[in-house]
Amino acid sequence: MSETWIILGATSSMARAFARKCARKGDALLLLGRDMPELKRIAKDCSLRGAAQAEAVAFDARKPEEFSAIISEAAEGRQLNAAVFIGSMPPQDELDRDPSLLDGVIQDNFTGPARFLQLLAPHMETQGSGTIIGIGSVAGDRGRVGNYVYGAAKAGFHTYLSGLRNRLGRHGVQVITVKPGFVDTTMTWGIEGMFLVASPEAVADSLIKAVKKRRNVVYTPWFWRYIMLIIRHIPEFIFKKMSI
Amino acid sequence: MRWKNEELSGWGSALSRATMLARPERLAALTDTLKETPCPAIGMRRSYGDAPLAPKALDMTRLDRFISFDEETGLLEAEAGVTLGDILDTFAPKGWMPAVLPGTGFATLGGAIAYDVHGKNHQIAGSFGQHVESLVLIDAKGDSQQISAQSAPELFRATIGGMGQTGVIYSARLQLAPCPAGKMLVRERRMENLDTFIEAFNASDVDYQVGWLDMTAGGVNLGRGIFEEAHFLSGIFKPAGKARSVPFNLPGFAMSRPVVKAFNWAYLRRVPEGGRGVDCGLRSFFFPLDNIQHWNRLYGKRGFHQFQCVLPLENSPATLGEILEAVVASGLASPLSVLKRLGAGRAGMMSFPMEGFTLAVDIVNKPGAKALLEKLNTLADEAGGRVYLAKDSSLEADYIENMYTELEEFRTVVAKADPDGAFLTDLVKRLKIRGTT
């Protein structure tokens, strides 16, 4: 059956791959983001690929005052699902030089999406069904010297999603926390030290599967669960000397 | 735009180089990058030699959106990074397909235009570029313009088959052809030798024709193989399934003479003596090797060259015989050798096709390969033929003027379109395609 997906941060590489998979299934798509001309191009692409409907909607994670209006319009006569792909990852050394950048990172990766989902939650409760996908990161599993502000924001988002799952689960709404490893996106392009890099298409496939199987926490690709299991269990007195 | 350092090679992996790659995902990022650092565009790197190699390049594969489609007329507009397989998968169920499909669905729209590729139906459908209505070209300053055969005939003809030298192709309007069905009936027949093969091609009036050659057979068996003729059958289209993959470079003996000989022996006998008809999905007919990802690894780390030439009709039988003899004697051929009949259709100044026969042979990159390739290049040149630049890794610059008769016109247009040589690639430099400068 055709579903409706609100996709936040729809211009990101992963979101675009996910939107296309949904389009091929004939789903309806509301594509949210800042770059309207680009969103419109993606919307057109998705409708040519089979989406029942594909609409570009202006959205900025740093303008929470606009969220309510977006949500009420989206929820009008629709059974909703949501997938949150927004996030930003400035290099850690830039953040170290200019601490004022920190608030933006927290807003893009955590408080922005959390505020949006917080406003969406009552609709989902009333609806009594549907799925929310939140894209976190393996970086949120442990703070590392290379990107601990981004990691901290993602960790906050993970905890938020866990609570939201607890809240909405009892109303029949599935909340899925997704923790991708390295994915071949604009964000990671050209960064040194990447390994086991997954394609956005592979990640999108695992999202579709996670929705079908009503999973709670998904690492993608799957082996990151075990890599992170090890990394989480390194004693702090050793970990603090490592730079991985 | 962040740049990524990568060791880049064409599909044959015999030639490679260190490259800095940018991969814009949006139109705005593409034009910004071009303004800052103009450099040539590359796609899925399915060209064999050094065609996709340059010190700096723009990876276009994420600019892969469909822009518009007219269900009535079949006119599709898409970004250049869209693959032809993607077009087939998306539009075949709606009854439309690219009129021309090369042997791999991984080729991009931009690449198919830049090398004016051909398919197994060249005699009736012509070359890929003949179905391009217009395209958007971005120059080294980041300025874009839409061009067509009417609005800018010279530039348009220099861009199709133009190896990216006139600018970056951002998008194109492609006239799709009706796709009558999702399946094909392929009639396969064994051919005893080159003469019967050529006769069979000449006698055939089926839309799609291709020949597989056993390049290990010499003497009276020279030029034996399998002739395939195909036409559409009723049936539904099935998009790409999960592909198998060659996980790593195979050791050298995988393509050694006895192995290839044994493989070819068995491959030929797959087809019974009396011939047979096979039902075949569109994908497996058009893109027979796409189901095996990284099949180029079969050749191991040293890689391979692909030699492909087209020979004028009147010289085809004699020169094909000489070429086959040289390849068979060298023992360097792989099982992948393909013979096709081409028509006269071509859309660009530097397009490959001419009326005649085209032969493609994979040659293992071993000692002796270079000498063999030189010989083959000379034979093709002497017969008045041409070597396919999308495949080439071995031609000498001296041959180019002879083989590509519109070279002077091309040089004039390109000198104007890209005066600073921003879009030069290794192939274009090696063959001095833009002149001595």
Side-chain angles (χ1 to χ4, degrees):
Chain A
M1 206 191 72
S2 147
E3 298 175 326
T4 300
W5 282 93
I6 304 184
I7 299 181
L8 278 78
T11 57
S12 83
S13 318
M14 259 188 270
R16 203 152 66 84
F18 178 71
R20 282 183 172 187
K21 304 261 176 207
C22 293
R24 223 161 286 151
K25 292 194 291 142
D27 292 348
L29 302 167
L30 297 171
L31 305 165
L32 277 59
R34 278 178 302 174
D35 186 344
M36 275 308 269
E38 177 60 20
L39 286 169
K40 281 182 184 158
R41 271 194 284 269
I42 296 170
K44 189 72 205 182
D45 179 60
C46 285
S47 43
L48 288 172
R49 287 171 192 277
Q53 183 203 358
E55 204 180 302
V57 181
F59 166 87
D60 187 339
R62 300 188 187 185
K63 289 181 184 157
E65 63 280 5
E66 294 171 3
F67 292 179
S68 281
I70 294 172
I71 290 171
S72 18
E73 195 167 323
E76 191 74 48
R78 288 192 187 97
Q79 290 278 310
L80 289 180
N81 301 276
V84 180
F85 290 90
I86 29 179
S88 65
M89 188 178 71
Q92 184 63 44
D93 54 348
E94 259 173 50
L95 280 156
D96 293 344
R97 272 196 306 273
D98 181 2
S100 71
L101 291 173
L102 186 140
D103 293 353
V105 177
I106 303 291
Q107 213 167 7
D108 292 344
N109 293 293
F110 174 27
T111 52
R115 178 102 172 244
F116 187 90
L117 293 178
Q118 200 67 7
L119 287 163
L120 183 68
H123 290 275
M124 300 298 284
E125 278 177 343
T126 323
Q127 191 174 296
S129 67
T131 304
I132 292 174
I133 300 175
I135 304 294
S137 169
V138 293
D141 276 8
R142 196 153 192 187
R144 298 179 301 114
V145 65
N147 62 355
Y148 58 92
V149 171
Y150 173 76
K154 287 294 190 187
F157 192 44
H158 292 168
T159 307
Y160 172 79
L161 288 171
S162 158
L164 190 67
R165 175 159 45 247
N166 206 204
R167 170 183 168 185
L168 295 182
R170 53 197 80 192
H171 297 275
V173 178
Q174 185 65 20
V175 177
I176 305 173
T177 308
V178 180
K179 299 183 183 178
F182 294 134
V183 185
D184 188 10
T185 64
T186 323
M187 202 151 91
T188 59
W189 178 257
I191 294 183
E192 299 284 318
M194 294 280 144
F195 56 92
L196 299 170
V197 179
S199 71
E201 286 72 30
V203 171
D205 278 331
S206 66
L207 298 188
I208 301 278
K209 203 168 132 194
V211 173
K212 220 170 166 181
K213 297 198 163 179
R214 299 180 70 79
R215 301 278 302 275
N216 297 313
V217 180
V218 180
Y219 284 83
T220 175
W222 58 271
F223 48 78
W224 279 95
R225 180 179 293 274
Y226 302 97
I227 296 176
M228 293 321 292
L229 187 72
I230 295 166
I231 290 179
R232 276 203 316 274
H233 283 86
I234 300 172
E236 195 65 25
F237 71 92
I238 299 174
F239 193 77
K240 72 176 183 187
K241 293 179 185 150
M242 295 170 71
S243 24
I244 48 172
Chain B
M1 174 63 61
R2 221 182 289 132
W3 294 77
K4 184 180 179 185
N5 294 308
E6 205 170 303
E7 184 71 16
L8 202 63
S9 65
W11 189 244
S13 42
L15 303 177
S16 65
R17 68 129 64 234
T19 300
M20 281 175 70
L21 276 181
R23 190 183 61 193
E25 299 210 1
R26 309 177 193 194
L27 174 57
L30 171 68
T31 45
D32 288 351
T33 311
L34 269 171
K35 267 179 215 163
E36 275 170 35
T37 318
C39 58
I42 64 169
M44 292 288 280
R45 308 160 207 183
R46 255 42 183 200
S47 297
Y48 284 70
D50 49 3
L53 304 188
K56 280 186 180 164
L58 293 169
D59 181 319
M60 298 290 287
T61 55
R62 293 280 168 99
L63 289 162
D64 60 348
R65 296 162 190 78
F66 294 127
I67 299 170
S68 68
F69 179 65
D70 186 329
E71 303 229 359
E72 298 295 308
T73 61
L75 187 65
L76 170 72
E77 185 173 11
E79 290 183 328
V82 159
T83 65
L84 302 186
D86 192 7
I87 298 179
L88 184 67
D89 286 349
T90 309
F91 295 98
K94 300 179 182 178
W96 296 94
M97 66 184 287
V100 173
L101 286 169
T104 173
F106 290 118
T108 60
L109 174 60
I113 296 170
Y115 289 90
D116 196 14
V117 300
H118 58 269
K120 295 166 185 155
N121 58 346
H122 186 262
Q123 276 184 289
I124 56 154
S127 69
F128 192 88
Q130 291 181 277
H131 304 272
V132 176
E133 299 271 305
S134 67
L135 51 87
V136 172
L137 192 66
I138 309 182
D139 67 16
K141 291 201 244 25
D143 296 329
S144 60
Q145 57 172 327
Q146 184 162 43
I147 58 167
S148 68
Q150 291 75 41
S151 75
E154 300 277 293
L155 186 57
F156 193 66
R157 286 194 67 239
T159 301
I160 295 177
M163 298 156 279
Q165 296 310 297
T166 56
V168 169
I169 300 169
Y170 162 66
S171 66
R173 282 197 182 145
L174 181 69
Q175 179 60 57
L176 300 187
C179 177
K183 276 194 163 178
M184 307 199 80
L185 179 66
V186 185
R187 186 162 168 245
E188 299 178 319
R189 278 183 289 156
R190 279 200 217 169
M191 296 287 126
E192 280 166 22
N193 56 40
L194 187 59
D195 290 339
T196 44
F197 232 132
I198 290 176
E199 258 170 55
F201 267 110
N202 288 336
S204 173
D205 58 355
V206 172
D207 291 358
Y208 295 90
Q209 312 164 0
V210 61
W212 170 84
L213 286 173
D214 177 1
M215 284 293 211
T216 57
V220 287
N221 293 324
L222 189 79
R224 77 173 172 198
I226 299 167
F227 183 49
E228 293 184 10
E229 295 163 287
H231 59 83
F232 285 95
L233 202 68
S234 58
I236 37 166
F237 175 77
K238 283 212 184 88
K242 215 173 160 63
R244 280 176 294 177
S245 174
V246 180
F248 45 78
N249 281 319
L250 291 197
F253 61 82
M255 282 290 171
S256 63
R257 194 173 189 148
V259 174
V260 175
K261 222 176 159 105
F263 176 89
N264 283 3
W265 187 89
Y267 191 81
L268 188 71
R269 279 159 188 79
R270 235 172 16 112
V271 176
E273 247 171 277
R276 66 170 181 179
V278 190
D279 272 19
C280 192
L282 296 195
R283 268 194 159 265
S284 42
F285 176 72
F286 287 107
F287 316 135
L289 286 169
D290 281 5
N291 228 358
I292 309 165
Q293 278 185 22
H294 306 294
W295 62 259
N296 52 349
R297 290 178 182 158
L298 294 170
Y299 292 88
K301 208 173 152 214
R302 66 201 162 190
F304 65 103
H305 302 271
Q306 186 173 87
F307 171 78
Q308 182 169 1
C309 68
V310 58
L311 303 164
L313 214 45
E314 65 277 13
N315 297 339
S316 285
T319 306
L320 278 174
E322 286 177 78
I323 291 177
L324 293 188
E325 268 167 27
V327 177
V328 171
S330 76
L332 292 171
S334 78
L336 292 167
S337 305
V338 172
L339 185 65
K340 286 188 301 257
R341 174 82 162 79
L342 296 186
R346 60 210 304 273
M349 296 171 178
M350 296 296 285
S351 293
F352 168 69
M354 68 163 76
E355 179 93 45
F357 278 88
T358 178
L359 173 73
V361 195
D362 283 4
I363 291 161
V364 190
N365 187 22
K366 276 195 208 168
K370 210 167 178 301
L372 172 65
L373 286 162
E374 260 166 39
K375 185 165 186 189
L376 302 185
N377 290 335
T378 315
L379 284 170
D381 182 49
E382 282 168 357
R386 56 175 83 97
V387 166
Y388 196 3
L389 299 177
K391 310 288 181 80
D392 178 60
S393 54
S394 71
L395 205 60
E396 306 270 339
D398 314 342
Y399 290 107
I400 287 296
E401 271 178 58
N402 213 9
M403 290 182 172
Y404 287 86
T405 46
E406 286 177 87
L407 186 66
E408 276 315 310
E409 291 93 316
F410 179 71
R411 281 177 177 166
T412 312
V413 180
V414 169
K416 218 174 116 203
D418 177 31
D420 300 327
F423 300 119
L424 280 165
T425 59
D426 285 6
L427 169 81
V428 174
K429 277 187 246 176
R430 175 168 59 87
L431 297 179
K432 299 191 172 67
I433 289 171
R434 290 174 62 164
T436 44
T437 48

